[in-house]
Amino acid sequence: MALWMALNFAGARAQGLTERHHIGFEAGLPTFPANWPGTSAYDEWAGSAATALYQKWQRRPPGKRVNYLKFGINSPFYAPFHKLLDLSGVPEAYPQVTADGLECHMKRLRKITSKKKEGCLSDQMDIDEDADLNSTVASRSSGSTADMWLLTGELLATAAASLLASTRTAAHEDPALPTAFLAWAAPLLEAVRSPNYNSNSDTTKDIALLQHCLVRVRLVCVGRGVPAENAPICTSLAKQTGDAIGFVMTSSFSLARGCGIAVGACSLYGLYQAWLSAAESKHAKSLGLTVQSLDGSPSISTSFVVLP
């Protein structure tokens, strides 16, 4: 105690993990482990947060719960980056809730004639009891996010930002071909490779490496609203939640900017699709992303920058 008092009188300020997270969030910077997907620390943090969110949702009456399946949200409690990158298995710390656990069943009030001698009518409500947490959580596989890698560092972030600012060339005439994606991401691939890398290797491995890449982005809302955590990030022209190219990890209202901001992660291939959509659209002035809601409210348009 005497040490803390001496430090405070000397001008020092104590800072906990929560305060450090808020300071980094207002500055628009990622914090560990909340914004480090692909690591074991993130899996433990996201798993505990997802379990708390699910238990909070389950404690509400069935008629007051958000019916996520109605709005096409299959993973409202955590960001399924493993599914986004087509990786098999789910981290053990994640509560994988089945579709039956997400669907809300609420039967109407109906009158049942009593068989008692009084012959009176009694109103009874027949409501399906909530399933237990252990029965609605699916079996968790032993899969991991070992093949997932996160783009970090100023060098790689600058290379990814330059890709999104590039113009379309003749190499992207057929964007459905994997070689077009490889040609677009070639500068980033050169930055990732070591100097002793054999450039004549199989391109299939290079494409698989790029398809398992996650890119952190800072989203700034251009209008009202705050993106929800674990909400899908889509291109501006996306029509369904199945077209998600990423997910929000942390979000809140920024007092420094006066608008909602969020830190999310998108797949590199998803950003390539957003770049193609902006290049093909004649009305798109700049590359932007849309964050879909979890409860059916309108989507939020955002601008974004790549974070190191």
Side-chain angles (χ1 to χ4, degrees):
M1 188 63 182
L3 176 61
W4 283 110
M5 292 181 63
L7 291 175
N8 287 331
F9 281 117
R13 294 292 182 268
Q15 178 182 332
L17 294 178
T18 303
E19 288 77 10
R20 184 172 180 269
H21 172 73
H22 286 314
I23 293 174
F25 182 81
E26 286 290 346
L29 299 176
T31 56
F32 185 85
N35 303 133
W36 243 264
T39 62
S40 58
Y42 174 82
D43 290 340
E44 293 180 4
W45 177 86
S48 60
T51 302
L53 288 176
Y54 176 71
Q55 291 176 347
K56 180 180 179 181
W57 176 84
Q58 193 187 38
R59 285 193 297 266
R60 297 178 64 88
K64 300 296 183 180
R65 298 175 186 170
V66 178
N67 195 344
Y68 294 112
L69 293 182
K70 179 181 179 181
F71 304 114
I73 305 298
N74 296 322
S75 179
F77 308 117
Y78 65 89
F81 290 115
H82 57 282
K83 183 178 180 180
L84 178 67
L85 302 178
D86 294 331
L87 298 176
S88 60
V90 181
E92 296 181 356
Y94 289 18
Q96 180 62 38
V97 184
T98 61
D100 295 336
L102 286 177
E103 189 175 3
C104 301
H105 298 282
M106 185 69 179
K107 293 186 177 180
R108 293 181 177 274
L109 181 68
R110 60 181 181 179
K111 296 182 178 180
I112 302 177
T113 305
S114 176
K115 296 182 180 181
K116 295 182 179 181
K117 295 182 179 180
E118 291 78 9
C120 61
L121 297 179
S122 61
D123 295 342
Q124 298 181 359
M125 181 175 293
D126 186 12
I127 304 176
D128 293 340
E129 296 182 356
D130 301 337
D132 186 71
L133 176 62
N134 297 328
S135 61
T136 54
V137 175
S139 59
R140 304 168 186 170
S141 63
S142 59
S144 63
T145 55
D147 295 333
M148 181 191 308
W149 65 282
L150 184 65
L151 188 145
T152 58
E154 291 288 347
L155 178 62
L156 298 183
T158 303
S162 63
L163 294 179
L164 297 174
S166 61
T167 57
R168 189 170 179 176
T169 61
H172 310 99
E173 291 300 329
D174 193 356
L177 294 176
T179 54
F181 171 58
L182 183 61
W184 176 78
L188 178 62
L189 192 61
E190 291 293 335
V192 173
R193 288 171 175 170
S194 63
N196 299 328
Y197 182 79
N198 184 12
S199 59
N200 297 326
S201 62
D202 188 8
T203 58
T204 305
K205 296 181 180 180
D206 295 337
I207 295 175
L209 176 67
L210 295 174
Q211 287 179 344
H212 290 170
C213 174
L214 281 178
V215 182
R216 278 182 306 213
V217 293
R218 180 174 67 240
L219 306 169
V220 180
C221 300
V222 298
R224 294 184 177 181
V226 177
E229 295 184 356
N230 307 321
I233 302 174
C234 306
T235 61
S236 300
L237 302 179
K239 301 297 182 182
Q240 300 177 357
T241 56
D243 300 330
I245 65 172
F247 295 94
V248 175
M249 293 182 289
T250 54
S251 64
S252 182
F253 185 83
S254 174
L255 299 177
R257 292 177 172 83
C259 62
I261 64 173
V263 176
C266 301
S267 64
L268 183 62
Y269 186 73
L271 292 178
Y272 169 68
Q273 292 177 333
W275 176 80
L276 283 177
S277 301
E280 295 174 355
S281 178
K282 299 180 180 179
H283 303 284
K285 297 181 180 180
S286 60
L287 181 59
L289 298 176
T290 300
V291 180
Q292 296 190 357
S293 64
L294 299 178
D295 56 359
S297 57
S299 302
I300 301 175
S301 300
T302 63
S303 61
F304 75 98
V305 294
V306 178
L307 292 177

